[in-house]
């Protein structure tokens, strides 16, 4: 990443005001969390890396992190109830969706934290918390975006799921300028974060809901052995998904994976 090039394109007051960069590290979420425990980093401190050797996904999954893609973590210190923190995963998803829109690709937000193009995963969000007693000291919103990963790389490195993964470069058949994409994403995160600060969490939830195309549609979610089937009714501020089953019962889903 050319950091000077990136900085030229960023227009923010909070996000990236302190910008940390590393060519290679274990995981931007892990390192930013450690740094924030050691020193008092300001709201919006951002860490970007070119390569992650231990990139992490949700549910302890591995996040394949070669050079060419984007790995970014943002530290936030919002005044929010710990149970409402899924709002920040939604905030990141809105920023991602609006960034993909600029590239004129049809991205889809998949609850709880994925962005898909043509039903293939292109980006994911992993939000991690640090508590101070019963409240939040800080949270780390980590975002991984497949920008320039090739089809060959995907089939070699992700056996079994390679037909469920894509990159922006594959979809647009061109090399993606990382600085341009990252700056647009950062500017969008700032704009949603400012809206959260001035208007609160319900603003983010409604922005997210308006971008979520499963609303009112038939969905199937797998959480371990349990499968939920029904119409996606709504998502609440705690990140829970409500599904109306065929029998008319409203089921609350806490986590899980969409089944296609
Ligand atoms: C998921 O879809 O399961 C979430 C993936 C999140 C990956 C990003 S890459 C930057 C940050 N650092 C990590 O180790 N994980 C997140």
């Amino acid at each position: 990443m050319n950091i000077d090039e990136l900085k030229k394109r960023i227009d923010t007051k909070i996000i990236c005001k302190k910008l940390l960069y590393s060519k290679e590290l274990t995981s931007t979420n892990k390192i930013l969390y450690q740094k924030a425990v050691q020193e008092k980093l300001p709201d919006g401190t951002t860490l970007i890396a070119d390569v992650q050797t231990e990139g992490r996904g949700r549910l302890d999954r591995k996040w394949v992190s070669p050079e060419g893609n984007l790995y970014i973590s943002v530290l936030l210190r919002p005044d929010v109830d710990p149970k409402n923190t899924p709002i920040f995963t939604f905030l990141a998803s809105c920023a991602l969706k609006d960034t993909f829109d600029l590239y004129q690709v049809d991205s889809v937000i998949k609850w709880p934290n994925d962005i898909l193009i043509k039903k293939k995963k292109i980006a994911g969000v992993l939000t991690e918390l640090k508590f101070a007693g019963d409240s939040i000291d800080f949270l780390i919103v980590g975002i991984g975006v497949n920008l320039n990963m090739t089809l060959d790389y995907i089939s070699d490195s992700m056996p079994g799921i390679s037909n469920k993964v894509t990159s922006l470069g594959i979809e647009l058949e061109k090399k993606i300028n990382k600085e341009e994409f990252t700056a647009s994403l950062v500017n969008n995160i700032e704009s949603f974060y400012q809206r959260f600060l001035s208007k609160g969490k319900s603003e983010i939830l409604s922005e997210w809901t308006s971008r979520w195309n499963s609303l009112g549609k038939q969905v199937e979610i797998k959480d371990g052995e349990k499968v939920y089937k029904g119409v996606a009714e709504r998502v609440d501020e705690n990140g829970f998904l409500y599904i109306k089953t065929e029998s008319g019962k409203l089921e609350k889903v806490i986590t899980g994976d969409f089944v296609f």
Side-chain angles (χ1 to χ4, degrees):
M1 176 84 73
N2 181 331
I3 294 295
D4 290 334
E5 212 33 65
L6 173 66
K7 280 184 176 163
K8 273 191 227 159
R9 296 166 191 256
I10 290 178
D11 181 17
T12 58
K13 291 196 171 63
I14 302 176
I15 313 298
C16 279
K17 271 294 135 190
K18 186 171 173 79
L19 176 57
L20 309 168
Y21 163 72
S22 171
K23 269 196 176 326
E24 183 177 308
L25 44 61
T26 50
S27 148
T28 54
N29 265 32
K30 184 175 168 184
I31 299 296
L32 188 55
Y33 189 102
Q34 285 173 355
K35 275 187 187 299
V37 168
Q38 286 158 5
E39 54 186 297
K40 179 89 186 160
L41 295 175
D43 195 21
T45 300
T46 303
L47 173 60
I48 294 176
D50 287 336
V51 174
Q52 294 185 122
T53 53
E54 292 168 28
R56 301 192 298 216
R58 210 166 55 92
L59 309 174
D60 261 338
R61 290 172 185 153
K62 181 176 162 198
W63 186 259
V64 177
S65 307
E67 180 141 27
N69 293 340
L70 173 63
Y71 315 107
I72 178 170
S73 295
V74 180
L75 174 135
L76 299 175
R77 298 183 177 281
D79 182 13
V80 68
D81 192 308
K83 66 180 193 304
N84 294 146
T85 49
I87 281 292
F88 297 95
T89 299
F90 295 161
L91 187 153
S93 299
C94 290
L96 277 165
K97 167 102 182 111
D98 288 7
T99 305
F100 284 122
D101 283 354
L102 293 174
Y103 287 81
Q104 292 168 336
V105 284
D106 197 8
S107 64
V108 166
I109 293 185
K110 194 184 83 165
W111 178 87
N113 71 333
D114 298 339
I115 305 283
L116 310 179
I117 290 182
K118 296 189 195 139
K119 297 197 172 174
K120 296 178 179 186
K121 182 141 168 170
I122 193 156
V125 182
L126 178 67
T127 301
E128 298 183 284
L129 312 183
K130 166 82 168 61
F131 284 90
D134 287 343
S135 54
I136 286 176
D137 182 1
F138 60 79
L139 51 91
I140 307 277
V141 182
I143 303 171
V145 187
N146 298 336
L147 290 182
N148 287 305
M149 205 151 58
T150 61
L151 271 176
D152 281 349
Y153 189 92
I154 292 174
S155 21
D156 288 350
S157 61
M158 298 177 216
I161 55 160
S162 61
N163 61 345
K164 293 218 159 105
V165 178
T166 191
S167 73
L168 194 55
I170 294 170
E171 296 305 321
L172 296 178
E173 297 180 4
K174 67 172 189 191
K175 185 170 184 324
I176 307 302
N177 179 317
K178 238 169 110 166
E179 292 76 17
E180 196 176 281
F181 184 95
T182 307
S184 158
L185 179 65
V186 164
N187 291 336
N188 283 333
I189 295 173
E190 169 90 11
S191 127
F192 285 109
Y193 192 49
Q194 293 285 1
R195 282 161 74 174
F196 164 78
L197 293 175
S198 60
K199 297 189 170 161
K201 52 187 193 281
S202 57
E203 172 82 0
I204 302 304
L205 186 63
S206 76
E207 288 298 336
W208 185 87
T209 305
S210 72
R211 285 167 180 74
W212 181 46
N213 85 333
S214 297
L215 184 68
K217 289 193 186 149
Q218 189 70 31
V219 295
E220 192 175 326
I221 314 279
K222 207 169 168 221
D223 179 12
E225 292 298 297
K226 182 138 176 70
V227 178
Y228 299 88
K229 270 188 195 175
V231 174
E233 288 274 306
R234 68 183 183 100
V235 165
D236 73 10
E237 282 159 356
N238 305 326
F240 301 144
L241 167 67
Y242 295 83
I243 290 182
K244 190 164 246 166
T245 62
E246 267 182 4
S247 64
K249 196 173 150 218
L250 201 59
E251 291 237 46
K252 180 164 107 175
V253 191
I254 295 171
T255 188
D257 288 313
F258 262 67
V259 182
F260 293 107

